[in-house]
Amino acid sequence: MCRKTGVGNKKLREISKKDIPKLKYGVVHSQVGFSDGVSIVMEQVENVMRENLKVPKENIFYLVGKTSKKELRITEDEVLWDRHKVNRKMLGNFESGYGGHLSERIEASILKAKIRIENWVKENKIDILIVHNSSHPVNFISSVALSRYYRDAIARGRKTPKYILWWHDSHLEREHFSRPSNDVRKYLLEGVPGRFVEYIIFINNLQLRSVKKYFLEIDKKYKGFYKKILSNHNVAYNTTGTFINSFRDIDAMDNGTRVKRFIRDFDIKGFLGREGLRLKDTLFCLQHTRIVERKRIDFALKYCYELLEKSKKKALYFLVSGQADVTGAKYKRELIKLNKKLAKETGKRVFLIFAEDYYDKTKLSFDEYPRIFARLGGFSTYFSEVEGFGNNLLEVLASGLIPVVYKYPVFKKDIEKFNFSLLALDKFEVEDDVLSETLKFLASKKLRHKMVDNNLEILKEYFPHKIIASKLERAIIKKR
């Protein structure tokens, strides 16, 4: 049974391990059920809660701005979505600040979101809140609204759910969020993530170090915050299941069916045929990310042109599997323009294809593309400048596809030490030896076999989902 504690609000409770399956859990984020990294982790966390912590599905509720899943336990309200028009205005005026009519609209939206949170918590009798990325102003309205919900509830002596923050990334890790105006800074300190967070799960070992100064700034206003977080945090790397058990599974019948569906739905043979090409004339490369500038898809394109130059193949089929957000649409146009420029300069044929342009023509899901490209004997590019950890990188490795990566800071700190079989660049420069190594494993099924099986063994030992269970359990039962 849960026991009352005399610390702070008398309605707060201590929680034991045996209480965990009985509690009601609320998950808050901008969206759920899409191909972004946070949505992927949310799905993983629910699976761990149900399978490892034995929490019934009916005890897990979602409050999001947008969902691709229509379930009674998922509450959707656009004011919580990161693409809500007022939230976009807050981000667009991050450096210039808010004033007049915009401030009124912001406050009205925050109040609406706060009331929605309050009613949802009450209706579903939420005991534990797992909030994803209230540490990032991309979720400005929902984060500040959540902080105000706690402020007002505690002031009235009401029971509140325990607030666990899953810290994927933050404005402190992004250069373009480094110059907030004075009024924006007040909102940040108030609620991004705000003083009411009780436990933080970071996804890499660099994050706590990078936020120390910011937390001390919050602590000046709200004494005791920094000390609380020092003893109430943990690090949980992104994890993954393995989509195949060994390299031999790449040739399994169901995977062959996926490839046939891909070739049909994307009209691969027809497309190549119109170019005077066949499958065997073509290299296949997968960029398994959303269309975001920091993913450096522009560099990946340049890499592919250099690779094709050294290859005996006649063309390269380059697929971006994720979709573009509002800012990504502009980047997508830039990539199309860049590809035309590179094709003209080199005389080489790299076909830049976006899976989102085929969403209405195929039922293939985002996580199937790495297995398809592994079966086609292809490779993957992952040249992100910055990542919280690297969910999509793990998915590629877990599918039997070999990536070529850039050593972004978290890769160097937390991933490189595991010695995955992959190729890595220290700089955004196309090096001849890496191109040669890429062509070497593409030409050798025996070498790919060895590399893939090594990666799968590492993932099974160090990155299984069950690791999340122990981290989350600790967060739930830690004394409030």
Side-chain angles (χ1 to χ4, degrees):
M1 293 292 291
C2 298
R3 302 180 298 280
K4 289 184 179 179
T5 176
V7 179
N9 184 340
K10 290 182 180 180
K11 293 182 180 179
L12 303 185
R13 302 175 299 170
E14 284 185 38
I15 299 166
S16 67
K17 286 184 181 182
K18 65 182 179 181
D19 293 322
I20 290 175
K22 306 170 193 174
L23 301 175
K24 298 286 184 71
Y25 297 85
V27 183
V28 179
H29 185 47
S30 167
Q31 59 186 34
V32 68
F34 295 94
S35 60
D36 60 286
V38 179
S39 286
I40 292 168
V41 173
M42 289 165 75
E43 184 176 349
Q44 292 170 352
V45 171
E46 174 169 330
N47 289 338
V48 164
M49 290 171 71
R50 290 166 59 182
E51 293 174 18
N52 299 82
L53 302 182
K54 306 305 177 187
V55 177
K57 181 178 180 179
E58 58 269 22
N59 281 13
I60 305 171
F61 302 88
Y62 289 83
L63 178 62
V64 296
K66 194 172 184 64
T67 178
S68 66
K69 304 175 179 181
K70 303 300 178 184
E71 297 182 42
L72 289 175
R73 64 196 183 102
I74 301 177
T75 301
E76 186 178 28
D77 192 320
E78 191 180 9
V79 74
L80 300 166
W81 195 30
D82 62 4
R83 298 184 206 177
H84 182 271
K85 55 188 176 183
V86 178
N87 201 72
R88 299 298 304 179
K89 278 284 185 184
M90 291 185 79
L91 294 173
N93 289 59
F94 194 83
E95 295 183 13
S96 59
Y98 316 136
H101 182 56
L102 178 56
S103 287
E104 291 175 10
R105 290 175 66 197
I106 289 169
E107 286 298 321
S109 296
I110 291 172
L111 177 60
K112 182 182 177 184
K114 192 204 90 164
I115 293 169
R116 166 58 84 182
I117 292 167
E118 188 174 26
N119 291 339
W120 173 75
V121 167
K122 186 177 179 181
E123 288 165 9
N124 296 295
K125 299 181 173 64
I126 303 298
D127 297 298
I128 305 288
L129 269 186
I130 302 172
V131 185
H132 291 270
N133 253 19
S134 59
S135 51
H136 203 306
V138 74
N139 295 321
F140 232 142
I141 289 173
S142 61
S143 299
V144 176
L146 185 60
S147 190
R148 290 191 185 176
Y149 154 71
Y150 274 92
R151 179 197 67 186
D152 295 348
I154 291 170
R156 293 170 189 153
R158 294 179 179 172
K159 173 187 169 184
T160 57
K162 184 173 186 179
Y163 184 168
I164 298 170
L165 164 60
W166 212 288
W167 187 295
H168 298 266
D169 51 10
S170 75
H171 58 291
L172 303 163
E173 302 165 48
R174 300 286 185 266
E175 171 62 28
H176 58 280
F177 284 121
S178 63
R179 294 173 293 277
S181 67
N182 289 334
D183 53 350
V184 170
R185 186 136 194 99
K186 288 177 183 177
Y187 277 118
L188 291 172
L189 293 172
E190 178 190 0
V192 186
R195 69 189 190 272
F196 299 106
V197 175
E198 298 175 64
Y199 197 102
I200 298 178
I201 298 175
F202 296 103
I203 66 168
N204 68 59
N205 284 301
L206 294 177
Q207 288 173 326
L208 181 60
R209 189 188 313 165
S210 70
V211 302
K212 180 180 177 181
K213 184 179 177 182
Y214 181 66
F215 281 0
L216 286 171
E217 194 172 348
I218 296 174
D219 193 73
K220 286 179 184 176
K221 195 172 182 181
Y222 307 109
K223 214 65 184 164
F225 175 79
Y226 182 68
K227 185 178 179 181
K228 176 180 72 175
I229 295 303
L230 279 184
S231 59
N232 288 275
H233 76 273
N234 212 323
V235 175
Y237 292 159
N238 289 163
T239 59
T240 183
T242 49
F243 298 103
I244 57 174
N245 288 317
S246 72
F247 180 81
R248 296 183 189 282
D249 290 344
I250 291 173
D251 290 329
M253 188 179 295
D254 61 337
N255 209 29
T257 303
R258 284 189 190 93
V259 172
K260 287 177 183 176
R261 188 180 300 139
F262 172 66
I263 289 171
R264 181 194 68 216
D265 294 351
F266 283 69
D267 188 30
I268 304 293
K269 286 185 177 178
F271 175 80
L272 293 177
R274 289 188 290 276
E275 296 287 335
L277 298 165
R278 294 169 294 175
L279 283 173
K280 67 178 185 178
D281 299 321
T282 312
L283 291 172
F284 285 87
C285 177
L286 177 67
Q287 172 75 29
H288 193 53
T289 66
R290 291 177 298 127
I291 306 166
V292 180
E293 202 164 345
R294 66 181 171 84
K295 304 292 185 181
R296 292 303 307 269
I297 304 171
D298 56 325
F299 181 76
L301 269 175
K302 292 172 185 174
Y303 186 88
C304 286
Y305 273 95
E306 296 267 8
L307 185 72
L308 190 57
E309 182 74 41
K310 286 183 169 290
S311 172
K312 294 178 181 178
K313 299 286 186 176
K314 297 177 182 178
L316 188 148
Y317 189 97
F318 183 89
L319 179 74
V320 185
S321 56
Q323 56 195 138
D325 60 12
V326 176
T327 56
K330 179 175 179 288
Y331 186 48
K332 180 179 178 179
R333 291 193 295 272
E334 291 173 359
L335 290 171
I336 293 169
K337 186 176 178 181
L338 173 63
N339 192 51
K340 288 178 180 177
K341 178 175 176 285
L342 292 171
K344 187 175 181 180
E345 288 174 354
T346 65
K348 296 295 178 181
R349 290 185 285 183
V350 172
F351 305 121
L352 173 60
I353 311 294
F354 298 95
E356 69 171 4
D357 296 336
Y358 290 81
Y359 284 172
D360 60 343
K361 300 171 186 173
T362 185
K363 290 184 178 178
L364 289 168
S365 61
F366 179 75
D367 63 8
E368 291 181 283
Y369 291 109
R371 278 168 283 173
I372 290 167
F373 275 67
R375 177 69 178 258
L376 288 167
F379 70 107
S380 178
T381 47
Y382 197 85
F383 294 124
S384 293
E385 288 178 319
V386 118
E387 288 291 337
F389 192 79
N391 238 315
N392 298 140
L393 176 59
L394 295 184
E395 279 192 333
V396 162
L397 292 166
S399 301
L401 194 59
I402 307 299
V404 185
V405 310
Y406 167 70
K407 294 182 183 180
Y408 54 90
V410 174
F411 182 91
K412 288 182 179 179
K413 175 67 176 175
D414 288 340
I415 301 177
E416 190 171 20
K417 62 189 177 187
F418 291 102
N419 294 315
F420 284 108
S421 295
L422 47 74
L423 300 180
L425 304 179
D426 291 297
K427 298 179 287 187
F428 284 105
E429 293 179 7
V430 182
E431 300 166 357
D432 285 345
D433 60 335
V434 179
L435 291 173
S436 297
E437 288 299 313
T438 306
L439 291 172
K440 186 177 176 182
F441 78 71
L442 287 173
S444 173
K445 192 169 184 178
K446 184 178 180 180
L447 180 55
R448 289 202 306 280
H449 189 153
K450 184 179 178 181
M451 295 172 77
V452 167
D453 283 351
N454 177 60
N455 290 339
L456 293 172
E457 287 306 310
I458 293 169
L459 291 173
K460 288 172 187 175
E461 184 172 358
Y462 297 106
F463 293 90
H465 292 320
K466 64 182 180 182
I467 290 174
I468 293 177
S470 62
K471 308 283 186 176
L472 185 55
E473 180 181 85
R474 193 179 308 173
I476 293 168
I477 66 176
K478 189 73 187 287
K479 187 175 179 179
R480 297 186 74 172

